[in-house]
């Protein structure tokens, strides 16, 4: 398994400001994933973060809006930039562990963001 | 490509009722299948999994059987409790013969159990 600490757990932010979310894993992982979960919706993958290279963004998400850092194999940050009320969501950090049989996902507790 | 389809919610049940949440999948290889649960205000956590056809995953009274012939992995519980109120996500990861595979999630099904 993997223990993932994510912070802050929640925040209320003014529109136009930026918030950086931190994700710390208790062991080294190759890839870390950032998801958004809008109210009442499923998970949407924002980007995949590899250590030492630029993050890979999914369709509809851009680096200017969601810059990601991945300075080492146990840590990543996601910044939500120039926020608007539409960015109010839960943001989830995730890692995946591969075994000989399958890949399994583990999640942080999420950051509940409200933009006012 | 790989995908997961779940029954639409929300689902509302009385305590001690029988629960079924349908899940079907499309995959190119031989996937492993998962159910994740998200309790209010929390992140996702793995509920159960099955790695090959006819396997049954079980945990906390929940069960799901990997049915390759119908490409399904339906979640069941014989008697739900109020504490089971949560959002349930069906997911798959394809086999890893060739390259890294992400876990693919279904849209989630919200369950509310009323006393």
């Amino acid at each position: 398994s993997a223990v993932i600490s994510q912070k802050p757990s929640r925040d209320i932010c003014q529109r136009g400001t930026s918030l950086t979310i931190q994700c710390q894993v208790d062991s080294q992982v190759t890839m870390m994933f950032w998801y958004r979960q809008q109210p009442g919706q499923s998970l949407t993958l924002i980007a995949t973060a590899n250590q030492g290279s630029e993050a890979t963004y999914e369709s509809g998400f851009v680096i200017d809006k969601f810059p990601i850092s991945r300075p080492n194999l146990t840590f990543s940050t996601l910044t939500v930039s120039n926020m608007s009320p539409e960015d109010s969501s839960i943001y989830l950090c995730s890692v995946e562990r591969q075994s000989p049989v399958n890949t399994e996902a583990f999640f942080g507790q999420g950051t509940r963001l409200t933009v006012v | 490509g790989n995908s997961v389809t779940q029954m639409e919610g929300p689902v509302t049940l009385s305590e001690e009722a029988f629960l079924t949440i349908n899940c079907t999948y499309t995959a190119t290889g031989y996937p492993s299948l998962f159910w994740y649960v998200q309790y209010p205000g929390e992140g996702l956590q793995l509920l159960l999994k099955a790695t090959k056809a006819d396997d049954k995953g079980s945990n906390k009274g929940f069960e799901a059987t990997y049915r390759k012939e119908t490409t399904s992995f339906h979640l069941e519980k014989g008697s739900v409790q109020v504490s089971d109120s949560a959002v349930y996500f069906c997911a798959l990861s394809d086999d890893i013969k060739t390259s890294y595979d992400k876990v693919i999630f279904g849209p989630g099904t919200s369950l509310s159990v009323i006393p």
Side-chain angles (χ1 to χ4, degrees):
Chain A
S1 65
V3 176
I4 303 172
S5 300
Q6 194 176 328
K7 60 180 182 181
S9 59
R10 59 178 62 230
D11 208 342
I12 301 174
C13 300
Q14 298 291 322
R15 69 174 68 200
T17 63
S18 298
L19 175 71
T20 296
I21 302 167
Q22 299 181 4
C23 181
Q24 178 76 51
V25 188
D26 67 341
S27 57
Q28 295 183 343
V29 292
T30 304
M31 294 187 183
M32 296 177 74
F33 303 87
W34 287 99
Y35 288 87
R36 181 173 73 183
Q37 186 181 22
Q38 293 178 301
Q41 303 295 314
S42 184
L43 305 174
T44 302
L45 182 64
I46 297 171
T48 303
N50 269 339
Q51 192 268 335
S53 63
E54 270 197 16
T56 302
Y57 288 82
E58 299 297 307
S59 175
F61 297 95
V62 296
I63 188 171
D64 290 345
K65 176 66 176 177
F66 297 101
I68 288 172
S69 79
R70 184 77 203 276
N72 57 52
L73 290 172
T74 63
F75 187 78
S76 178
T77 67
L78 169 76
T79 299
V80 186
S81 303
N82 189 24
M83 288 184 284
S84 67
E86 291 72 33
D87 294 320
S88 297
S89 289
I90 297 173
Y91 292 86
L92 292 157
C93 170
S94 172
V95 302
E96 294 177 358
R97 285 272 163 79
Q98 287 192 337
S99 73
V101 181
N102 60 28
T103 300
E104 188 172 323
F106 300 90
F107 288 84
Q109 77 271 30
T111 297
R112 185 178 295 270
L113 170 63
T114 303
V115 183
V116 298
Chain B
N2 297 344
S3 66
V4 177
T5 303
Q6 286 179 239
M7 65 184 287
E8 288 196 18
V11 174
T12 302
L13 294 174
S14 298
E15 209 164 19
E16 299 183 2
F18 184 86
L19 168 71
T20 300
I21 301 178
N22 290 338
C23 170
T24 56
Y25 67 90
T26 302
T28 53
Y30 300 91
S32 293
L33 302 173
F34 309 87
W35 277 100
Y36 285 83
V37 60
Q38 184 180 32
Y39 297 105
E42 298 184 13
L44 277 73
Q45 54 186 277
L46 181 66
L47 179 60
L48 53 84
K49 65 181 179 182
T51 58
K52 61 183 187 298
D54 299 325
D55 268 3
K56 177 186 283 188
S58 62
N59 186 23
K60 299 181 181 180
F62 290 89
E63 292 183 341
T65 301
Y66 189 141
R67 301 285 188 202
K68 194 172 188 299
E69 64 277 13
T70 55
T71 61
S72 65
F73 193 55
H74 304 324
L75 182 68
E76 297 182 335
K77 186 174 185 181
S79 176
V80 293
Q81 305 301 313
V82 173
S83 58
D84 294 325
S85 298
V87 181
Y88 293 83
F89 294 90
C90 186
L92 70 82
S93 71
D94 214 333
D95 64 348
I96 53 174
K97 290 178 184 177
T98 54
S99 63
Y100 189 88
D101 291 296
K102 290 190 287 250
V103 178
I104 308 297
F105 290 90
T109 302
S110 175
L111 170 66
S112 294
V113 180
I114 54 177

